[in-house]
Amino acid sequence: MSGDFERELQRRFQEMEGPEDMDRQVSGTITRAWAWRRRRRQRRVATVAVATMLAAAGAAYAYTVIHNEDGRQVPEGRPGASERREANPLLQDLPWLYQPNRSKTVDETEGPASSVQFPPGTGYRRAARQLYLSISRDGTLPASARVRPPLERGIVAETSGQGVRLSLAAPFGYNPDNGKVEVPTISLPASLEPSEAAAIIEDLKTGDPSSLPAGAQIEWTMPADCQLRVAGAPEEPACAYIQRNPSPTPGTG
Amino acid sequence: MSAAPADASVPHSQTREARTFGGSGIPTLPPMPLSDRDLIRAARRGDREAADALARRYWEPAWKASLALSGNRHLADDATQDAFERVLRNLSRIDEKRPFGAYLHRVVINRTLDLLRAGARTAKLHDSPDARASLERSLDAMSFEQIVSRLPEERRVPVVLRYLLDYKPSEIAELLGIPEGTVSSRLARGMAELRDGLEEAP
């Protein structure tokens, strides 16, 4: 009986009507994807040209850095940042980096969950900015940071005598009620043409932060206390989202 | 080697002449379709026709999966196009050693569920008395895919993967990152609910 129904189900799925205008959808999708690839190649060429000029001028770094005194503004990226980022499993599908239209919750982040330890003397805000800038502009983790196991569930930053340790899944925190990973606010320079700004925003939404120009700023709201662990201070109760959503266990459903 | 004389009663395509290459006697075979790996590599190099062939190979079943998950053709259109565009943009990240179809299907499923959760163009029926009454009245007009889309997500996804996309329970377990026992349990419950739903509809 069960076998009969399974076959019936397969038959019904087979008989479902397909898309009405598949040719147009396929063609349009490839056109958009190829246009994106073309734009990204053009930006890489421009970045390489800048780096080459700086190297020829005897510059110590291949960055074009503008207003870097407070570290809040974004330098030009190094060539190959995207490739380095894509080759590192730890840096793929980071929801806070790729600025998705709908952010994932802390439990929905894909890929290995880890934390990043910064050396003593690096505060939380400075560490989070270094993390964002290094991954987006250089395609790597900051040179001073070390990969560590995941933090306790629901905790995004922990400070101790060894320095600050950040969650790679949600270094800027998450909404304490619904668990959605927070993303930093990016301010683009006013000097950009509207079409340039629109293209950069579109890239951010679809997974490519490497087109951020020099002069872009990153800011965010400090995570709620329930997401922070401070050595020597009493532990705060877990955030509402964590309390309402205990860790999933095998065999449920 | 010379070709045999042509026989007017035999279709040319089946003659020895047609089956040899330049009269050398070496038989030719119809061209084998390129593998997913070959198409991916060509597309990475910028070959748009390869990308087109790869997309067409998987488009309809992926679209149907999105329709079965959402019950909404417009949402299925959006989700499928978004998912394929994302995959084509990120060809360099694809692990060639793993099945391309499984990776693509996961992206399509995730995108469909993302759009559903965002409330894009799909009315969600909540388990309230008014909603149930409305649901019972609307069974007459409900299509098969709409009945499937009523299943809870945790059962709907395995059912679509198993009976539309033909994944084995072990493959579904790996795709979704859950134990195989959980997959079997959810499939069984999903099937039971579907059987009820289909028996109620005319």
Side-chain angles (χ1 to χ4, degrees):
Chain A
M1 185 75 75
S2 170
D4 288 343
F5 184 67
E6 286 184 339
R7 282 188 286 277
E8 167 72 9
L9 207 52
Q10 284 171 326
R11 182 186 66 78
R12 293 236 193 185
F13 276 125
Q14 295 285 339
E15 290 176 357
M16 277 169 59
E17 277 185 36
E20 285 176 359
D21 54 354
M22 182 173 134
D23 286 341
R24 183 190 63 79
Q25 292 185 19
V26 171
S27 171
T29 298
I30 294 176
T31 296
R32 288 189 298 276
W34 253 234
W36 179 87
R37 287 163 61 109
R38 204 164 40 245
R39 281 201 309 273
R40 196 169 78 159
R41 276 199 302 274
Q42 288 166 356
R43 274 195 293 275
R44 279 199 209 133
V45 168
T47 306
V48 169
V50 168
T52 304
M53 281 166 47
L54 289 173
Y61 304 105
Y63 284 94
T64 299
V65 176
I66 304 172
H67 307 304
N68 197 38
E69 290 168 2
D70 56 8
R72 279 188 295 175
Q73 300 208 12
V74 179
E76 291 284 354
R78 283 208 295 150
S82 287
E83 286 78 7
R84 281 189 293 276
R85 190 170 48 246
E86 288 163 10
N88 187 339
L90 286 176
L91 305 185
Q92 295 177 12
D93 295 315
L94 299 174
W96 50 269
L97 184 68
Y98 294 123
Q99 301 276 348
N101 287 328
R102 175 197 166 265
S103 185
K104 299 190 180 213
T105 69
V106 285
D107 292 324
E108 290 173 340
T109 54
E110 295 171 11
S114 299
S115 66
V116 185
Q117 177 77 51
F118 287 79
T122 309
Y124 162 72
R125 279 199 176 273
R126 190 168 166 204
R129 277 205 184 92
Q130 283 183 5
L131 188 69
Y132 186 94
L133 293 179
S134 185
I135 294 175
S136 66
R137 307 314 299 152
D138 199 40
T140 60
L141 290 170
S144 61
R146 296 289 176 264
V147 178
R148 291 286 180 264
L151 289 164
E152 177 189 334
R153 183 167 174 262
I155 301 299
V156 304
E158 183 181 84
T159 62
S160 67
Q162 296 170 359
V164 69
R165 190 167 146 209
L166 292 184
S167 159
L168 206 52
F172 300 97
Y174 57 90
N175 183 302
D177 293 317
N178 61 25
K180 291 191 181 178
V181 174
E182 296 286 1
V183 295
T185 301
I186 309 293
S187 299
L188 298 177
S191 55
L192 287 176
E193 293 289 333
S195 57
E196 286 180 295
I200 292 167
I201 291 168
E202 197 55 39
D203 285 348
L204 284 171
K205 284 182 182 175
T206 53
D208 183 8
S210 57
S211 60
L212 281 178
Q217 296 194 26
I218 55 171
E219 289 295 346
W220 70 99
T221 303
M222 192 72 181
D225 290 343
C226 54
Q227 303 174 26
L228 306 174
R229 281 277 183 273
V230 179
E235 281 189 14
E236 297 284 336
C239 292
Y241 170 79
I242 299 296
Q243 291 185 38
R244 285 199 307 268
N245 295 277
S247 298
T249 53
T252 56
Chain B
M1 177 186 295
S2 58
D7 182 336
S9 65
V10 176
H12 177 71
S13 61
Q14 294 182 33
T15 61
R16 178 189 294 271
E17 182 183 46
R19 291 200 299 273
T20 59
F21 176 72
S24 66
I26 299 172
T28 58
L29 295 170
M32 295 289 289
L34 291 174
S35 65
D36 287 352
R37 179 188 286 197
D38 290 337
L39 290 174
I40 290 167
R41 288 181 175 176
R44 278 179 184 156
R45 293 191 298 267
D47 186 337
R48 186 176 165 140
E49 284 187 13
D52 187 274
L54 189 65
R56 286 177 189 278
R57 182 173 289 178
Y58 288 97
W59 195 280
E60 184 163 329
W63 184 91
K64 285 187 176 180
S66 181
L67 177 62
L69 290 172
S70 64
N72 185 296
R73 298 181 74 90
H74 296 300
L75 191 148
D77 287 345
D78 290 348
T80 306
Q81 291 179 75
D82 286 355
F84 271 85
E85 187 173 337
R86 184 184 171 105
V87 168
L88 290 174
R89 287 187 178 196
N90 293 289
L91 284 172
S92 60
R93 292 169 60 175
I94 289 174
D95 182 352
E96 292 176 11
K97 299 186 198 68
R98 301 183 69 83
F100 173 74
Y103 167 72
L104 171 72
H105 291 145
R106 189 176 64 185
V107 177
V108 170
I109 288 169
N110 285 342
R111 187 63 187 137
T112 302
L113 297 177
D114 280 350
L115 289 178
L116 272 177
R117 290 173 194 141
R121 305 195 217 169
T122 300
K124 202 168 178 186
L125 295 173
H126 298 285
D127 202 8
S128 69
D130 289 341
R132 278 201 69 80
S134 170
L135 172 61
E136 286 162 4
R137 281 195 297 273
S138 70
L139 274 176
D140 281 352
M142 195 169 284
S143 61
F144 169 68
E145 54 266 20
Q146 287 172 324
I147 294 172
V148 174
S149 70
R150 288 168 53 202
L151 287 176
E153 180 183 307
E154 64 179 19
R155 296 170 200 171
R156 191 181 342 139
V157 172
V159 163
V160 168
L161 285 170
R162 177 82 184 97
Y163 298 108
L164 191 155
L165 295 175
D166 208 29
Y167 283 89
K168 301 182 194 136
S170 57
E171 293 169 330
I172 296 171
E174 187 181 345
L175 200 68
L176 300 181
I178 57 178
E180 194 171 334
T182 305
V183 171
S184 299
S185 163
R186 293 181 184 180
L187 279 173
R189 293 184 191 187
M191 293 274 285
E193 284 189 44
L194 271 181
R195 195 197 304 266
D196 289 346
L198 289 171
E199 284 173 357
E200 282 176 14

